Amino acid sequence: NAGVMQNPRHLVRRRGQEARLRCSPVKGHSHVYWYRQLPEEGLKFMVYLQKENIIDESGMPKERFSAEFPKEGPSILRIQQVVRGDSAAYFCASSPGNTEQFFGPGTRLTVL
Amino acid sequence: RKEVEQDPGPFNVPEGATVAFNCTYSNSASQSFFWYRQDCRKEPKLLMSVYSSGNEDGRFTAQLNRASQYISLLIRDSKLSDSATYLCVVSTDSWGKLQFGAGTQVVVTP
């Protein structure tokens, strides 16, 4: 009974490179959420997706960040041209809809 | 002003003692309330939902005061394993977008 899976767990990028973070929700969950946790801060909502649709991206930075949840495969959070301020823990959560969200172990992104 | 505010602590608690702490939220339209627990920057895990009438789960008791817009968590008979950061979480959306406080750190000492 696998929970939410995220990979990689740790990702190091140099400034200007691209980062791709993957999230496989709990089997049967069609709702995926991405949150970011900066050092010494709480988690901040980024985006909410259902299969093939972005429902709410009000927490996504306007530039360089994008997310998708294709019909097949994991949800992807993509950060283009990373900067040092993007260094954070990125958590994915899934739910079957309007119920408890189950969180993955997170991806820790370090930008050098 | 932050949407969810918590005392960061740390609350240093002797094993077996009781500890309580609050959080406040700014949006009066908030619908759902939770306490999550986070260990050493690992993923948050749901501790308990918070209901208007207050609710208890073992050694943990949560209260909600809508008029004053605060939520409380009380831990009785603290265990060493209760050492963690407790996250106050609020949702204003029916589909469950969560707003997190920065957390209250609890350290239970022998």
Side-chain angles (χ1 to χ4, degrees), chain B residues 8-62:
Chain B
F11 284 68
N12 294 298
V13 187
E15 194 174 6
T18 296
V19 61
F21 41 89
N22 299 333
C23 90
T24 58
Y25 59 95
S26 60
N27 191 337
S28 59
S30 299
Q31 301 180 15
S32 304
F33 309 90
F34 311 91
W35 284 103
Y36 275 72
R37 168 189 172 134
Q38 187 175 32
D39 293 277
C40 297
R41 311 297 280 184
K42 293 185 178 178
E43 73 270 27
K45 293 185 178 178
L46 179 66
L47 180 66
M48 60 196 301
S49 301
V50 186
Y51 304 114
S52 296
S53 55
N55 49 297
E56 188 175 305
D57 184 358
R59 297 181 294 107
F60 297 85
T61 301

Side-chain angles (χ1 to χ4, degrees), chain A residues 33 37 56 98 101 104 108, chain B residues 38 41 43 94-96 98:
Chain A
Y33 309 80
Q37 187 171 31
D56 182 346
N98 200 25
Q101 294 181 24
R108 275 163 180 73
Chain B
Q38 187 175 32
R41 311 297 280 184
E43 73 270 27
S94 59
W95 49 258
L98 301 178

Side-chain angles (χ1 to χ4, degrees), chain A residues 34 47 49 54 57 60-61 63-68 76-80:
Chain A
W34 285 93
V47 62
L49 311 101
I54 296 174
E57 56 182 349
M60 288 278 270
E63 298 177 346
R64 303 187 297 108
F65 285 70
S66 62
E68 63 177 11
I76 306 287
L77 179 68
R78 181 184 178 202
I79 312 172
Q80 296 177 290

